Amino acid sequence: MSTKFMYERLLKCQEANKLVAIYASREDEYFEAGYIEAVTASDVMFRSRRSDGYEEGHVVLPLELVYRIEIDTAHLKTAELLAKHLNQQISSGLFEKAPNKKHSLFEIAADYVYQSKEIIFIDIIGDETPVIGMIAENEYEGLEITLVDDEGRLDGTCWIKKEDILALRFGGSVEQDLMNKLKK
């Protein structure tokens, strides 16, 4: 399946700094909203914005999963209005210069989280519960994750094939809360 159409539209949304609704799951009417930070031929990274106006970290999705995007809807305008009222500015991105179209945002994000030792949520194909933890090893074909439970305690080790990963989520309030609990 060609991703060129969505790539070009997401790039325009990034250039216009528009809040975008991104649909990647056809099973329900669920979407994620955010400001596009980077888009490549293989994936998209955005700074997530919740419907209550708060920013919620970074998300990386494979471009092939994105089947619908929206801008300027009433729901998105409300989120922007709430963000403005709460003084929730659009945070600066991870990149000083946008990555090349040929780069993998997934690999860039995985390396960033690995180096910074942040907690990450990883959505996996066919699994409703995300893997939560810190990347202990970032190898060519997979990730080794030091698991963290809901209370912020270390909870074993997990290995995941990269080809089975749907999304990476990091830098949000839930991840920050778990990091704070872990440090205690």
Side-chain angles (χ1 to χ4, degrees):
M1 174 192 309
S2 173
T3 57
K4 182 179 178 187
F5 179 77
M6 287 301 184
Y7 170 81
E8 291 172 350
R9 296 324 177 270
L10 288 166
L11 202 55
K12 286 182 182 181
C13 292
Q14 177 187 5
E15 291 166 359
N17 204 27
K18 292 275 191 175
L19 183 61
V20 180
I22 299 174
Y23 292 80
S25 172
R26 294 181 183 267
E27 281 124 34
D28 51 28
E29 282 294 308
Y30 176 76
F31 67 86
E32 296 194 58
Y35 295 93
I36 307 302
E37 183 167 340
V39 61
T40 66
S42 59
D43 35 29
V44 58
M45 178 186 284
F46 57 95
R47 292 179 307 282
S48 181
R49 173 82 63 187
R50 297 185 330 209
S51 60
D52 63 3
Y54 286 97
E55 214 172 71
E56 197 53 44
H58 286 82
V59 178
V60 179
L61 293 171
L63 199 54
E64 66 189 23
L65 293 181
V66 178
Y67 71 93
R68 174 177 161 189
I69 57 175
E70 297 174 346
I71 58 170
D72 298 327
T73 65
H75 186 81
L76 295 173
K77 288 179 182 179
T78 300
E80 287 181 312
L81 188 61
L82 287 168
K84 187 175 183 177
H85 177 71
L86 295 165
N87 201 24
Q88 286 283 307
Q89 305 297 321
I90 302 170
S91 66
S92 59
L94 293 180
F95 306 110
E96 289 180 24
K97 180 181 168 193
N100 184 296
K101 182 180 178 181
K102 295 177 184 176
H103 288 126
S104 166
L105 296 172
F106 172 88
E107 291 297 336
I108 293 169
D111 190 55
Y112 171 81
V113 172
Y114 171 68
Q115 297 295 329
S116 62
K117 298 185 184 338
E118 289 185 32
I119 289 182
I120 188 167
F121 279 54
I122 302 171
D123 296 339
I124 302 172
I125 295 172
D127 198 345
E128 292 183 20
T129 306
V131 171
I132 303 168
M134 297 179 294
I135 299 175
E137 290 293 327
N138 181 4
E139 297 181 23
Y140 179 73
E141 291 185 6
L143 299 175
E144 178 181 321
I145 307 297
T146 300
L147 297 171
V148 176
D149 69 13
D150 294 341
E151 301 299 319
R153 294 182 301 249
L154 297 179
D155 191 30
T157 300
C158 172
W159 291 271
I160 306 168
K161 294 187 308 184
K162 287 182 178 178
E163 66 191 47
D164 291 333
I165 295 174
L166 292 175
L168 301 177
R169 301 170 194 286
F170 59 98
S173 62
V174 175
E175 295 90 345
Q176 296 300 322
D177 287 346
L178 288 173
M179 281 299 296
N180 291 337
K181 289 177 182 178
L182 186 64
K183 290 177 182 177
K184 290 181 180 180

